Each structure stands twice: as C-alpha cells, then as structure tokens.
C-alpha cells in the first residue's frame, strides 16, 4: 500500500485493489474548481490504464460544497459548451471498475452531481444532497437533470431541481440514492468493507456486469455475449471449482 500527496486539491491513495481519492480543499469546503477537475481527470486516466475500484470522499465533515462560484461566475458560453464538469463526471461514470462515493455532510450542486456519477453512494446521518443552481441563475448542468431522475425518479428529481428541496440522509436512503447510512466515524471503514466485497468477486465479472448495466435499453444479446466471454475464463472455472469443493465438505 502506498500513499501519495502529489496533487493540489486531492489526497490520493493507491492500493493494489483500489484507489482512494479525498477531495481536499478545506478552506473552500472542498468546492470543485478547475484545478480539481484537471486532477480528477488524471486519476481517471490512471484507473483507465489500470482498472481498480475507486472510493471517492471529501475532507472533513463535508463531501463537496458545490462548484467554485468565483470560477463559475466568469464562465461564458464557450466554457458551457466545453462541458468542463459534465465531461469529467461522465468519464468517471464510465470507468470500467466500480466507483463508490462516501458522503459526509454537504453534497451541493456539482458536489452532488459528482456523487451521482458514482455507482454506489454511502452516507452519514448529516449528509445532504441539494441542487441550488437555479438560485444562481443556471441549471444543474453536469448531469443532475437526467442522472438524478434515473436514480430517484422524475417526481423526486423535480422536487430537488425545481422546488429546491434537499435530500437528507434518510430521504436519500428512502428514495434509493444511497445504499446505507453509517455513523461518520465508520464511513470510510464501511466504504472499504464494500470495496473488500467487490475485491472478493471476479474483477472481470464486475467490469462486464457494469458494462451491461450501463448499456441503453434491453440487451439480451449483450448478456449472452458477455457471459460467453466469462464462461471461457480460467477465473470462472477456478471460482466454481472452489465453490463445489466447499459444498462437499
């Protein structure tokens, strides 16, 4: 296991079976600025080259207090068309290995959208997801307008995006946005336990499952083709052999 502090806005720990990223802008409540976007792109490139599950969390008692408003204020049409945040979040969403967001405290605006891009979210009792963008004269333009609807349904998404409602931890759990609520002091341990369960599964099977899950529409042919690849793998044969041998005992 190796730990690194080689970014300005992130703390990154690289292990053989996972990458742990902490958003680290304490003075700005971990607000997402251009530098953080660039550094998260670098992390994505690392994981694309060497696929491993990703754990994403925030420093202190906040996940991410939105995008950096001082930067957003200066952005114009060209920056919007470049999709500065949305391109990163889509890249994160499309990583081959599973991604987990461990959310403590505020996940606002772009911070909430960053968590939506992950496959699974865990939360503490103080977690709050909110999209205050219309109050600033913009839309939640980095995925919330369609990704949140996929996660919690159109009615709840409209309550958040149009009505300004916040989803606290209990509401997020009730609507399926988060998998479970854990005490703040146990958040990272619970997230690592989840990654441990993933690590015990076939990495190839998880990658294939995510690929099929994220495909558009019904896809029985994709199921068959994916299963055909896995049926031929040595890992599948070894795992099933061990399973059958355990049943004999």
């Amino acid at each position: 296991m190796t730990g690194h502090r080689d970014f300005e806005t992130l703390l990154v720990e690289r292990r053989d079976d996972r990458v742990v990223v902490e958003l680290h802008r304490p003075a700005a409540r971990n607000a997402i600025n251009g530098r953080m976007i660039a550094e998260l792109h670098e992390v994505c490139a690392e994981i694309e080259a060497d696929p491993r599950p990703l754990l994403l969390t925030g420093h202190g008692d906040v996940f991410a207090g939105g995008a950096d408003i001082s930067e957003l204020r200066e952005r114009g049409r060209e920056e919007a068309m470049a999709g500065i945040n949305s391109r990163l979040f889509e890249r994160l969403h499309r990583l081959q290995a599973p991604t987990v967001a461990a959310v403590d405290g505020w996940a606002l605006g772009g911070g909430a959208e960053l968590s939506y891009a992950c496959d699974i979210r865990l939360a503490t009792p103080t977690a709050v997801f909110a999209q205050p963008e219309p109050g600033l004269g913009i839309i939640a333009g980095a995925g919330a307008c369609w990704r949140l609807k996929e996660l919690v349904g159109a009615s709840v998404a409209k309550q958040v995006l149009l009505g300004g409602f916040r989803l606290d931890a209990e509401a997020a759990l009730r609507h399926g946005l988060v998998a479970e609520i854990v005490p703040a002091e146990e958040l990272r341990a619970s997230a690592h336990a989840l990654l441990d369960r993933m690590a015990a599964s076939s990495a190839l099977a998880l990658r294939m499952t995510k690929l099929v899950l994220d495909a558009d529409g019904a896809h029985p042919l994709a199921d068959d083709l994916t299963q055909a690849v896995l049926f031929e793998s040595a890992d599948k044969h070894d795992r099933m052999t061990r399973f059958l041998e355990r049943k004999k005992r």
Side-chain angles (χ1 to χ4, degrees):
M1 179 177 70
T2 58
H4 298 261
R5 177 68 167 96
D6 52 4
F7 292 113
E8 291 181 16
T9 68
L10 307 175
L11 293 174
V12 180
E13 179 187 348
R14 302 165 179 88
R15 304 186 186 183
D16 290 340
D17 64 349
R18 70 198 61 177
V19 175
V20 182
V21 173
E22 177 184 300
L23 309 179
H24 194 266
R25 295 189 69 211
R29 297 200 305 171
N30 305 327
I32 301 168
N33 64 355
R35 183 64 185 173
M36 184 181 287
I37 292 291
E39 291 179 351
L40 286 169
H41 271 297
E42 292 184 44
V43 172
C44 285
E46 287 186 29
I47 296 174
E48 287 163 353
D50 180 13
R52 285 164 289 167
L54 169 67
L55 169 57
L56 187 62
T57 188
H59 177 76
D61 58 358
V62 61
F63 181 72
D68 191 302
I69 302 302
S70 63
E71 287 190 2
L72 276 183
R73 185 182 61 180
E74 303 308 315
R75 290 181 187 174
R77 171 172 47 200
E78 294 302 318
E79 288 81 7
M81 292 300 294
I84 294 171
N85 288 15
S86 63
R87 299 294 190 275
L88 169 70
F89 297 170
E90 183 62 14
R91 186 178 189 180
L92 172 66
H93 179 72
R94 292 188 178 278
L95 290 176
Q96 295 182 45
T99 55
V100 175
V103 179
D104 185 19
W106 292 104
L108 298 178
E113 291 176 303
L114 178 61
S115 77
Y116 304 158
C118 293
D119 295 314
I120 300 173
R121 285 152 296 282
L122 305 180
T124 67
T126 61
V128 178
F129 301 84
Q131 304 294 159
E133 287 90 345
L136 296 170
I138 59 175
I139 69 167
C145 287
W146 52 275
R147 192 169 274 138
L148 184 59
K149 182 171 68 173
E150 292 177 352
L151 292 169
V152 301
S155 177
V156 174
K158 287 182 178 181
Q159 292 169 40
V160 173
L161 292 161
L162 301 179
F165 286 85
R166 299 168 177 175
L167 294 178
D168 61 17
E170 290 293 339
L173 180 66
R174 185 167 65 251
H175 294 299
L177 183 60
V178 302
E180 61 180 340
I181 301 171
V182 297
E185 62 273 16
E186 299 174 15
L187 178 62
R188 295 204 184 194
S190 296
H192 279 294
L194 173 57
L195 291 176
D196 289 342
R197 295 199 297 273
M198 292 177 178
S201 295
S202 160
L204 181 59
L206 287 180
R207 287 167 61 186
M208 292 290 197
T209 299
K210 181 172 177 178
L211 186 68
V212 174
L213 265 170
D214 288 340
D216 293 330
H219 31 68
L221 179 58
D223 289 349
D224 293 344
L225 292 174
T226 302
Q227 198 73 297
V229 172
L230 292 170
F231 273 12
E232 295 293 323
S233 70
D235 187 47
K236 166 257 186 180
H237 184 272
D238 293 343
R239 286 172 178 273
M240 291 191 176
T241 298
R242 291 195 299 271
F243 174 82
L244 292 171
E245 288 175 349
R246 286 196 299 270
K247 287 193 67 175
K248 292 177 182 178
R249 294 172 189 166

